[in-house]
Amino acid sequence: MKKIGRNDACPCGSGKKFKKCCLTKWVHAGYTRGERDSALAKLLRFVERKLGPEDDQAFDEFWGRFVDHADGLDHDLEMMSEHVCDLWFAFDWPLDDGQLVVDRFLDEQAFALSEGEKLCLRTLRASSMRLYEIEDALPGESLTLRDVVEGDRLTVRERLGSRSLNRFDWIAARVVSTGVSGHPEIEGLFQIPEFFHQGLRHQLRTQRDAHLRSNPGATVDSFYKMMPPAFHEVWVGAILDPFVPRLANTDGEEMVMTCVLFDVLDRPALKKALDGAEGVEGEGEPEERELWYWSGTNLKGEPVILGRMEIRGETLRLEVNSLARGERGCVLLEAVAGAAVRHRATTHEDLRRSMRGALRSGEVGSQPRRADDIAPEVREALVLDHSARHLRSWLDEPVPALDDRTPRAAAGDKALRPRLVDLLHDLDRSYQRSLKMGAPACDPSWIWDALGLEEEPAPYPPPLAHERVAQLVPGSGELCRSVAESIRRQPGFKDVSTVFSGEEFRANLELQRFLRQREVASAGDLPAASPGLAAYLELMVNFDLHRRKSFWVDESLAYMLANTDLDVLGRELRVPFPSFALVFTGRHVLSLAERLVARQRDCPLAGQYLRVATVFVTEYQTGEERTLQICFALDALGADLPHLVPHRLPVKEERKVESYLDAIAPHPPIEPVVPHANPLRGLLQVTINAILYATSAGVEPQARQAPAGATGRPQLRGGSPITYSSDEVFFLPGAIEISKVRRLQELDRVPDGRTILRRFMVRGHWRRPAANWAEQRMRWIQPYWKGPDMAAVIERTYKLKP
């Protein structure tokens, strides 16, 4: 790389010499939050004093056709708009002499600026607003962005947006190469509604190419410096004038809800006339009938219901969905009923106008819950069942956005595959939005595998919960190891049974002192201790006490264990160590955890994608009584501590373990049972079966060392690389090929698939040893198919289309 001389042109593109522009970056590595804020404040005062008319002109251009409605935003949205507008005017908008506002400011006021302030302004000058898709988010920490036009990828430090935005949302954002954190950061953004994604991308590509053709020597960055007003128009238009597509009935007529009212003058004659009218069919017994449906055919010759007629007291109401049908219905009734009715009034409701008003006021989707609504757990089960079947059928239905090809066919077409990926991103985005709303959410990640777009599984898990706590709470890891070591040296310690109890934790002076110090530290610059920190320290001491034994469960094995009957007695449930951890990284288990966390609205991880579930298992013994503490530590690998979900399982020697699940996490009352509709039950079932598997006959866990290197492949499709765990783990491999698991999952989602599964698939179960067997441990009998060829069954059941 050629060395840049002091008198060379600055590589940032300012046109100045390096020594008068970005050379200060070599002296000052960055700038502080205070320098950033003071630099922008000084720049704003300069604009107010010397560039008022230009600022007003830029404001009008920025708001465009919405300039007369600039006061229509609420305070927070107004501040977002104002910040982006100020940045655009200062760093992108050329003055009459072609100079940028920031350059004039630096020429006239450089003496009043610190080096950090100058660096901040020059960094902002080198940036521009572009269109990005969010490929990954570590909540409270960062966003991984992909430029949807140029294709570049970068990871930015972002604390608030990484919590509120969803994966695969689109944003127009100004990204500075080095912000206050020393990493790329966002300075102003607009979220782009889904409806405008494809059109805006096409428009940007077209205008960019035209700009570069008509301006030889122009840079791509010079084009994007003109774009903030366009991004703002899309964003603010969706708020102030939301787009509602034209709604039409099956005759192509615009949908306008029309109600025609008639005074009833002769009720018996009217009822007789309606009962005898062609195309009018009554509901209920003739003597008590007061409701009729008017039917006919549409322009395509298809039978449709045209309207609804109802007698209410002394009034006949005709309800239709267009003006034309209202006029036809009025003529029909006057011809059929004659003197039995008299027209009183006709009213109309424009659905587009009503929907636009509701979108503006934010009333859409905010209807109060009715008292007669079905129970939430039943609703969730029904929605999950319906969504899974709908998505399965969608794979083999023609899709207009794919040129009427099926998603399965589009996956094999290079030209259509990008559009298919966009549709899959829409599904992922909808899933996360449902999680954040606390609504039933069906994880669509299996579709990538079904379409052959899956990625290779990660070779090693990301950092486990105890590692993350040690990282986020400095000193906690060393303290827990020290306490564990002192316990091991005490008389009476037994490797097979000794654990650190809650009473001992509360009596330990080192641990209690550490917690008090953390409470004091939370009042200063250090992050506050989580309310669950004490619980974590107790878990970590026990985990260290027994040499940090972790079992990483293969994704396919986890799915099969989730579908294994838990028909075991308490005496048959034995742990490999008094304290150990199970690790799950497959989407089946993580989606269960995501649904569980989404129910806890005060949890910072609610609605976020989880990357790893570390399940700490500790066995407590009091005399003949045993209790298993199963604590789920669910982690999104962001700025938050993993979320704890603890459960204590009293182990009764002759009691079925499944009865515990029936008591605390029963299946929703639906027949047939919807598998895994209760996320807590699903998590407990796969965990307990994994404990049984780790101690069963014929299972040999594989010891695996952490791979060399600090980072590995993304833990989510298209996401940022995640650091691997540094702990050794015992890997529990899948006994069934993942392709067979996918076929079982596929069959579970086709019509009548569950009936076929119950008929031809033997669920996983546990075989007890005979008294004369040398091996007295239980043996896992994995699920297996005993019916006809599964592929043929799937094709015949769903009638796959070519």
Side-chain angles (χ1 to χ4, degrees):
M1 179 178 179
K2 179 184 176 182
K3 182 178 178 180
I4 302 172
R6 291 172 55 85
N7 292 312
D8 290 342
C10 186
C12 76
S14 65
K16 297 183 177 182
K17 292 183 179 181
F18 182 52
K19 65 181 180 182
K20 292 187 176 182
C21 189
C22 293
L23 178 61
T24 53
K25 291 183 180 179
W26 295 94
V27 180
H28 297 274
Y31 50 89
T32 65
R33 171 64 61 183
E35 288 173 324
R36 178 255 184 205
D37 294 343
S38 63
L40 292 179
K42 292 175 182 178
L43 176 60
L44 181 60
R45 288 195 295 270
F46 174 81
V47 169
E48 291 173 347
R49 290 197 314 270
K50 298 194 173 184
L51 298 173
E54 292 86 349
D55 191 18
D56 293 340
Q57 180 185 348
F59 179 85
D60 291 344
E61 182 179 336
F62 186 76
W63 274 86
R65 64 189 179 96
F66 293 105
V67 67
D68 293 332
H69 306 282
D71 57 351
L73 300 177
D74 64 32
H75 179 264
D76 291 340
L77 297 179
E78 182 182 0
M79 295 302 293
M80 291 175 60
S81 172
E82 183 178 335
H83 179 58
V84 174
C85 182
D86 288 344
L87 293 177
W88 173 68
F89 174 64
F91 299 100
D92 301 335
W93 199 75
L95 298 170
D96 291 340
D97 59 0
Q99 190 178 30
L100 295 180
V101 172
V102 64
D103 292 335
R104 181 175 295 183
F105 174 61
L106 287 171
D107 287 344
E108 297 183 15
Q109 300 291 322
F111 65 90
L113 299 173
S114 69
E115 293 301 325
E117 290 172 330
K118 293 177 186 177
L119 175 58
C120 171
L121 296 176
R122 287 166 180 156
T123 302
L124 279 164
R125 187 195 187 285
S127 66
S128 58
M129 200 170 205
R130 302 196 180 198
L131 187 62
Y132 296 101
E133 180 181 57
I134 299 173
E135 290 195 329
D136 199 5
L138 298 183
E141 185 172 317
S142 68
L143 293 171
T144 298
L145 308 177
R146 179 181 65 86
D147 188 319
V148 299
V149 177
E150 309 302 331
D152 300 331
R153 284 179 170 83
L154 72 159
T155 298
V156 300
R157 290 293 177 90
E158 175 60 39
R159 185 171 59 88
L160 297 178
S162 57
R163 297 187 187 278
S164 60
L165 296 168
N166 299 326
R167 291 184 70 227
F168 305 122
D169 278 347
W170 284 24
I171 59 174
R174 179 185 292 270
V175 177
V176 295
S177 59
T178 306
V180 172
S181 65
H183 299 272
E185 293 180 359
I186 291 176
E187 282 282 1
L189 66 84
F190 296 135
Q191 187 171 353
I192 305 300
E194 293 178 29
F195 178 80
F196 299 99
H197 285 187
Q198 305 310 321
L200 183 56
R201 175 166 59 185
H202 176 74
Q203 178 183 353
L204 281 177
R205 285 174 173 168
T206 302
Q207 293 182 354
R208 178 203 59 180
D209 293 345
H211 173 77
L212 296 179
R213 283 196 303 269
S214 59
N215 297 277
T219 64
V220 171
D221 197 58
S222 67
F223 165 73
Y224 284 108
K225 281 185 170 291
M226 301 186 298
M227 286 299 102
F231 293 135
H232 181 261
E233 180 177 2
V234 172
W235 174 76
V236 79
I239 299 171
L240 299 179
D241 187 24
F243 173 81
V244 177
R246 179 180 181 273
L247 305 175
N249 61 22
T250 54
D251 285 321
E253 302 159 346
E254 184 168 1
M255 292 185 70
V256 177
M257 301 308 296
T258 301
C259 180
V260 186
L261 302 177
F262 295 86
D263 293 324
V264 177
L265 306 179
D266 187 338
R267 178 183 289 264
L270 172 60
K271 295 177 67 174
K272 182 178 180 180
L274 292 176
D275 286 339
E278 183 178 357
V280 178
E281 183 177 350
E283 183 176 280
E285 297 298 327
E287 304 80 26
E288 303 176 355
R289 184 174 297 161
E290 293 187 339
L291 178 63
W292 292 262
Y293 290 98
W294 171 34
S295 302
T297 57
N298 59 21
L299 291 178
K300 297 181 180 179
E302 302 167 333
V304 295
I305 295 178
L306 299 173
R308 182 178 185 272
M309 305 172 184
E310 183 179 9
I311 297 176
R312 296 183 182 177
E314 301 303 316
T315 301
L316 172 66
R317 293 174 58 92
L318 167 63
E319 298 174 349
V320 294
N321 63 12
S322 73
L323 298 176
R325 287 183 181 178
E327 293 173 357
R328 290 165 55 195
C330 187
V331 171
L332 171 67
L333 283 170
E334 290 177 338
V336 169
V341 295
R342 179 176 59 223
H343 181 260
R344 182 198 308 168
T346 300
T347 61
H348 308 289
E349 180 186 2
D350 189 327
L351 289 182
R352 294 181 70 193
R353 181 177 300 174
S354 300
M355 180 61 72
R356 185 176 287 111
L359 288 170
R360 285 174 177 169
S361 63
E363 294 177 358
V364 173
S366 61
Q367 293 84 353
R369 184 180 183 272
R370 302 192 306 273
D372 59 347
D373 274 353
I374 59 177
E377 63 273 12
V378 175
R379 185 191 309 113
E380 181 170 19
L382 293 175
V383 170
L384 291 175
D385 185 48
H386 171 76
S387 298
R389 293 172 184 268
H390 168 71
L391 291 176
R392 174 60 186 82
S393 64
W394 177 78
L395 293 178
D396 298 287
E397 293 287 349
V399 177
L402 301 175
D403 296 342
D404 288 326
R405 302 282 298 279
T406 69
R408 199 181 298 276
D413 188 321
K414 290 184 178 180
L416 292 176
R417 196 176 299 139
R419 279 188 265 170
L420 172 62
V421 168
D422 285 336
L423 294 179
L424 296 181
H425 287 177
D426 290 342
L427 294 176
D428 284 338
R429 185 167 50 245
S430 177
Y431 168 67
Q432 191 173 7
R433 187 182 301 117
S434 296
L435 289 175
K436 288 187 175 180
M437 294 172 59
C442 181
D443 179 21
S445 59
W446 60 270
I447 296 180
W448 294 85
D449 301 319
L451 294 176
L453 302 175
E454 71 276 10
E455 295 178 343
E456 289 295 321
Y460 210 73
L464 308 184
H466 57 280
E467 297 176 275
R468 291 271 293 144
V469 175
Q471 173 194 355
L472 295 171
V473 185
S476 60
E478 296 85 349
L479 174 62
C480 291
R481 285 191 291 273
S482 173
V483 172
E485 184 61 34
S486 67
I487 296 173
R488 276 196 295 268
R489 291 196 300 265
Q490 292 176 1
F493 172 78
K494 297 180 181 179
D495 281 324
V496 295
S497 60
T498 300
V499 291
F500 190 57
S501 67
E503 293 78 7
E504 292 172 308
F505 176 86
R506 288 185 288 274
N508 187 283
L509 296 180
E510 289 184 89
L511 292 168
Q512 296 306 314
R513 186 182 302 114
F514 181 80
L515 288 174
R516 286 194 297 272
Q517 290 172 346
R518 292 298 302 170
E519 291 175 0
V520 173
S522 66
D525 296 331
L526 295 175
S530 164
L533 179 56
Y536 257 114
L537 295 180
E538 183 180 341
L539 287 171
M540 292 166 64
V541 169
N542 274 316
F543 192 52
D544 279 310
L545 191 61
H546 293 278
R547 310 293 184 181
R548 300 170 76 155
K549 301 296 193 301
S550 300
F551 294 87
W552 181 30
V553 185
D554 176 75
E555 180 181 0
S556 64
L557 175 62
Y559 178 79
M560 287 303 186
L561 291 175
N563 288 278
T564 293
D565 293 331
L566 199 54
D567 52 349
V568 298
L569 300 174
R571 57 182 168 81
E572 296 168 325
L573 178 56
R574 297 294 174 181
V575 295
F577 305 99
S579 182
F580 63 100
L582 295 165
V583 182
F584 298 95
T585 54
R587 283 303 306 161
H588 175 74
V589 173
L590 294 181
S591 65
L592 290 173
E594 286 159 359
R595 288 169 44 213
L596 179 65
V597 172
R599 298 178 175 184
Q600 305 176 29
R601 306 312 304 161
D602 58 340
C603 174
L605 297 186
Q608 303 295 343
Y609 273 87
L610 300 175
R611 317 305 176 96
V612 57
T614 308
V615 187
F616 294 101
V617 181
T618 306
E619 183 181 67
Y620 295 89
Q621 295 190 24
T622 306
E624 298 298 322
E625 297 292 326
R626 287 193 301 136
T627 300
L628 285 189
Q629 178 179 273
I630 299 174
C631 191
F632 299 95
L634 310 174
D635 198 359
L637 299 182
D640 304 294
L641 285 170
H643 180 63
L644 290 179
V645 182
H647 280 277
R648 296 182 77 90
L649 170 63
V651 182
K652 305 297 183 181
E653 295 295 289
E654 300 303 322
R655 181 183 177 185
K656 283 193 173 182
V657 174
E658 195 164 22
S659 65
Y660 171 76
L661 302 187
D662 293 334
I664 69 165
H667 290 296
I670 298 175
E671 290 294 338
V673 171
V674 178
H676 318 303
N678 187 316
L680 175 58
R681 186 188 185 100
L683 289 171
L684 287 170
Q685 179 154 338
V686 71
T687 296
I688 296 171
N689 274 323
I691 296 172
L692 291 166
Y693 182 80
T695 58
S696 63
V699 174
E700 294 294 336
Q702 304 170 6
R704 289 194 177 181
Q705 298 289 336
T711 59
R713 65 178 294 279
Q715 293 296 307
L716 287 176
R717 190 179 310 276
S720 56
I722 302 298
T723 302
Y724 288 134
S725 168
S726 60
D727 272 14
E728 179 186 60
V729 298
F730 293 114
F731 179 61
L732 296 178
I736 301 177
E737 292 181 11
I738 191 66
S739 60
K740 294 182 180 179
V741 174
R742 300 300 184 212
R743 286 199 293 272
L744 289 173
Q745 293 173 319
E746 189 173 11
L747 183 58
D748 188 38
R749 299 180 180 103
V750 300
D752 299 323
R754 294 197 182 126
T755 301
I756 296 172
L757 280 172
R758 288 195 298 272
R759 182 182 304 170
F760 294 120
M761 192 187 85
V762 177
R763 284 179 60 87
H765 58 281
W766 298 99
R767 177 177 294 171
R768 296 177 175 85
N772 60 344
W773 288 6
E775 176 59 77
Q776 284 297 300
R777 290 182 297 170
M778 289 198 302
R779 184 177 297 273
W780 181 53
I781 306 302
Q782 64 190 32
Y784 63 90
W785 182 257
K786 65 174 183 179
D789 179 70
M790 193 182 303
V793 170
I794 293 174
E795 183 174 356
R796 185 167 58 252
T797 304
Y798 186 69
K799 298 178 182 178
L800 291 178
K801 297 178 176 60

